[in-house]
Amino acid sequence: MTPASDSNRTDSQPIASGAAALASFGGRSGSDALQSSPQLRTFFECWLDTFIFNGHVDPRLRGLTILRVMWRCNRSYEWANHYRLARNVGLSRDDIVAIRTSTPEGDLDGDVAIVVRAADETVDRGHLTPDTYAAVTQLFADPGVLSEFLYLVAGYRMFASVSATTLSTAEGSGLRVWPPDGVSPEDPAARSR
């Protein structure tokens, strides 16, 4: 994975807290529910602070894991938001596009292959197989980081389910649609990768 250059960044002012992230949603998807439910808003602020802004999982692996879940679940809203965050932690456009592959076992290797496999199994099965769990345990040797990763991947699968139910999309929220190139999981070009 090569670092992204500043000229390729999608957001020059990274958001640094859950509260700031939620404030940036403005009138976009989900913000009405958060405004009417202080407890839910507190949950989301805590979630974002725990897993995104103060998490211990490598930010690049975290970003690729979340993006893979959103790609597999066809969730343009979360993809758009997390694409921006992934670029801000140094992932290049090529790093991100690579995880859209339909054949990750042949196209990816190392740590990226492990987290993508974990994301795929969470989407497909709802849990990790023993072999993938063993690989994730080796990758995240610290028990706290391991637990954080497991909750991260399962939690973002949950968010994908909710946004699919509420029909939250980048298109309907004024966000860039399927950055960097507009290719969606349903695009025939995406399926041939």
Side-chain angles (χ1 to χ4, degrees):
M1 291 183 269
T2 56
S5 68
D6 287 338
S7 63
N8 290 331
R9 301 275 175 143
T10 57
D11 183 7
S12 61
Q13 296 293 324
I15 297 170
S17 75
L22 293 180
S24 76
F25 287 169
R28 291 185 289 200
S29 183
S31 64
D32 291 341
L34 297 180
Q35 293 303 323
S36 66
S37 175
Q39 186 173 2
L40 187 58
R41 182 176 187 85
T42 300
F43 164 78
F44 276 105
E45 288 174 1
C46 182
W47 175 272
L48 292 169
D49 286 336
T50 299
F51 293 101
I52 303 299
F53 302 112
N54 300 308
H56 299 288
V57 172
D58 176 290
R60 294 161 59 98
L61 294 176
R62 175 188 66 220
L64 292 172
T65 302
I66 295 167
L67 287 168
R68 181 63 179 192
V69 170
M70 296 313 159
W71 180 258
R72 289 290 317 285
C73 294
N74 195 22
R75 303 312 318 142
S76 65
Y77 178 77
E78 291 84 358
W79 175 276
N81 279 310
H82 285 279
Y83 178 85
R84 178 186 58 198
L85 292 170
R87 293 303 306 268
N88 285 336
V89 299
L91 287 164
S92 72
R93 174 187 169 152
D94 290 342
D95 295 334
I96 296 167
V97 169
I99 61 102
R100 300 187 318 195
T101 180
S102 60
T103 55
E105 64 285 347
D107 295 338
L108 304 173
D109 56 16
D111 298 347
V112 174
I114 293 169
V115 300
V116 165
R117 189 169 78 219
D120 286 351
E121 289 180 6
T122 300
V123 169
D124 294 338
R125 303 169 63 96
H127 62 89
L128 304 186
T129 62
D131 288 344
T132 300
Y133 181 64
V136 167
T137 300
Q138 186 172 1
L139 177 60
F140 302 112
D142 178 282
V145 178
L146 172 63
S147 289
E148 182 181 320
F149 177 78
L150 295 173
Y151 280 100
L152 173 92
V153 69
Y156 275 93
R157 177 59 180 102
M158 172 192 69
F159 289 137
S161 295
V162 172
S163 74
T165 301
T166 62
L167 305 176
S168 301
T169 64
E171 299 85 342
S173 301
L175 296 171
R176 195 167 158 207
V177 179
W178 295 109
D181 54 13
V183 174
S184 80
E186 295 178 343
D187 189 304
R191 287 188 222 122
S192 66
R193 292 179 194 241

